[in-house]
Amino acid sequence: MKKVNYHTHTYRCGHANGNEEEMIQAAIEMGIEDLGMCGHVPLPHYRKHLIQSIPSIRGLRSLLGLIRAFIKNGPGMRMPYKQLEDHLDILRTCQKKYEDQIHIYKGFEAEGLEEYYNYYQTLLYEHKVDYLILGHHFHKHCIHNYYYGKEKMTKKDIYLYCNEVEKALETGLFSYLAHPDLFLIGYNRFDLDAQTVSRRICEKAKELNIPLEVNAGGMRRGVKKINNESIYLYPNTHFWKIASEVGNDVILGFDAHDPSDFNNAMYNQMMRFVNEHQLHVIDHFEFLQGNFEKYQAEYDIR
Ligand SMILES: [Zn+2]
Ligand SMILES: [Zn+2]
């Protein structure tokens, strides 16, 4: 099996280190053959979006986050929209420069926010990117109180996550589902509801033939004690036992935020996890291009 990674951030996301070329060189060094550059998708008309989110703000942390995002015209977690073309230009240059050493693909990790589906479709239709992955972090508006990785996730929150992920996968815009078990970080128990949500997500992905990602980001945080069990926050062992039963295709994602995240120790750790859970690992997948009849590729992105 080839070593591949389709989940690579750069400094442009605001919370990662390494520019495009540094990330690519680190991936080459550890022997990755196919590399997807995949930062959090920059959003156009972002201030308008933020203004619409004001009524949903709860708590000081969310308010401060919104003010910061408004000033920067892009929160800390995603590249400002005005950098998009620059980023893509650099990737095109690197594709040529390193073509003998690595295949580079252009992608973005995108939220399952309906108001952006036409925009995502435009990115794909105009071949600005080769693929999108669904990294569904927020219920809406990308503000802290709607973060699905927050502490104290409620039953209602995990079902919201489930419904939104199912809907998003059905659009055909997203080629795989990143860290599907993100919702378990703050849910902290694998009760009947967590089992139901996990099974629904796995079955929907299976039905649509969309791979699920075992994500190294949670492994880098180490093993945690949760309800007397020592497990990763994610990949969550209970979730992946269900994925194994359902028979999902599984792709490894370094979710690299620093050149040093590309290392064979992490690769081996991920391989150990997938082998222990008897998961069906793949090293390539189809780049889905969206449902053209449903989504209009005419979003005003200029
Ligand atoms: Zn993510
Ligand atoms: Zn990521």
Side-chain angles (χ1 to χ4, degrees):
M1 203 178 61
K2 283 191 291 189
K3 281 183 196 161
V4 302
N5 174 56
Y6 288 89
H7 195 159
T8 314
H9 295 270
T10 69
Y11 77 96
R12 293 181 195 271
C13 290
H15 59 281
N17 304 308
N19 62 27
E20 290 84 353
E21 194 151 5
E22 287 163 341
M23 298 307 274
I24 291 164
Q25 285 169 345
I28 292 172
E29 212 147 290
M30 75 153 281
I32 287 182
E33 292 182 51
D34 296 338
L35 181 72
M37 298 302 291
C38 201
H40 296 285
V41 66
L43 296 174
H45 313 304
Y46 197 56
R47 287 195 173 113
K48 200 168 98 193
H49 177 75
L50 291 169
I51 289 169
Q52 284 165 352
S53 75
I54 289 172
S56 313
I57 295 282
R58 308 276 179 281
L60 189 64
R61 190 166 170 192
S62 292
L63 179 66
L64 292 176
L66 182 114
I67 292 169
R68 242 194 329 265
F70 195 88
I71 293 167
K72 291 168 84 175
N73 199 14
M77 71 165 291
R78 69 185 69 247
M79 80 171 72
Y81 185 71
K82 60 176 189 296
Q83 291 185 17
L84 174 69
E85 291 302 330
D86 214 28
H87 171 67
L88 296 176
D89 279 347
I90 291 171
L91 293 185
R92 278 186 282 267
T93 307
C94 287
Q95 279 175 327
K96 285 203 196 82
K97 182 169 173 189
Y98 296 102
E99 68 185 344
D100 295 337
Q101 296 170 75
I102 196 166
H103 295 120
I104 298 167
Y105 299 96
K106 303 189 295 289
F108 281 123
E109 176 178 17
E111 306 291 330
L113 298 173
E114 276 179 51
E115 62 267 44
Y116 288 110
Y117 288 168
N118 286 344
Y119 164 57
Y120 298 162
Q121 183 65 83
T122 308
L123 291 174
L124 291 165
Y125 185 77
E126 294 188 356
H127 302 294
K128 286 191 183 292
V129 293
D130 301 301
Y131 70 102
L132 298 171
I133 64 175
L134 178 64
H136 192 52
H137 309 86
F138 294 98
H139 168 49
K140 52 181 172 178
H141 306 314
C142 311
I143 49 178
H144 181 75
N145 49 303
Y146 288 127
Y147 179 44
Y148 281 127
K150 70 182 177 190
E151 285 172 43
K152 299 196 186 104
M153 284 278 284
T154 64
K155 201 172 277 200
K156 191 177 155 204
D157 290 330
I158 69 168
Y159 280 103
L160 270 178
Y161 176 80
C162 183
N163 292 341
E164 289 164 9
V165 164
E166 283 178 333
K167 261 199 188 158
L169 292 179
E170 278 173 355
T171 64
L173 291 163
F174 308 102
S175 298
Y176 83 56
L177 174 57
H179 44 62
D181 42 354
L182 181 84
F183 70 98
L184 288 169
I185 297 176
Y187 193 64
N188 270 334
R189 54 197 182 276
F190 206 70
D191 60 7
L192 207 59
D193 296 295
Q195 289 169 40
T196 303
V197 167
S198 300
R199 193 166 288 278
R200 275 177 54 187
I201 290 172
C202 291
E203 284 178 352
K204 179 56 74 180
K206 175 81 182 167
E207 173 198 325
L208 298 168
N209 202 19
I210 294 176
L212 301 177
E213 179 201 62
V214 162
N215 185 292
M219 286 185 164
R220 284 195 289 271
R221 297 201 216 166
V223 164
K224 307 275 179 199
K225 196 118 183 143
I226 299 168
N227 288 333
N228 289 323
E229 278 185 308
S230 293
I231 59 173
Y232 296 120
L233 287 172
Y234 64 101
N236 180 294
T237 182
H238 302 291
F239 177 94
W240 292 97
K241 279 177 188 156
I242 290 178
S244 175
E245 276 172 42
V246 173
N248 290 100
D249 283 345
V250 172
I251 186 104
L252 304 182
F254 281 81
D255 202 352
H257 283 72
D258 188 286
S260 68
D261 289 343
F262 286 118
N263 63 79
N264 279 302
M266 179 49 74
Y267 177 75
N268 295 336
Q269 204 176 328
M270 285 196 280
M271 283 305 283
R272 247 194 326 274
F273 185 89
V274 294
N275 289 333
E276 275 167 19
H277 291 77
Q278 296 177 311
L279 295 166
H280 181 244
V281 191
I282 55 170
D283 61 8
H284 67 278
F285 54 90
E286 190 189 346
F287 286 162
L288 300 182
Q289 295 298 306
N291 184 342
F292 288 101
E293 278 157 36
K294 198 158 165 205
Y295 300 104
Q296 306 296 313
E298 53 190 35
Y299 195 90
D300 171 24
I301 58 176
R302 273 156 281 271

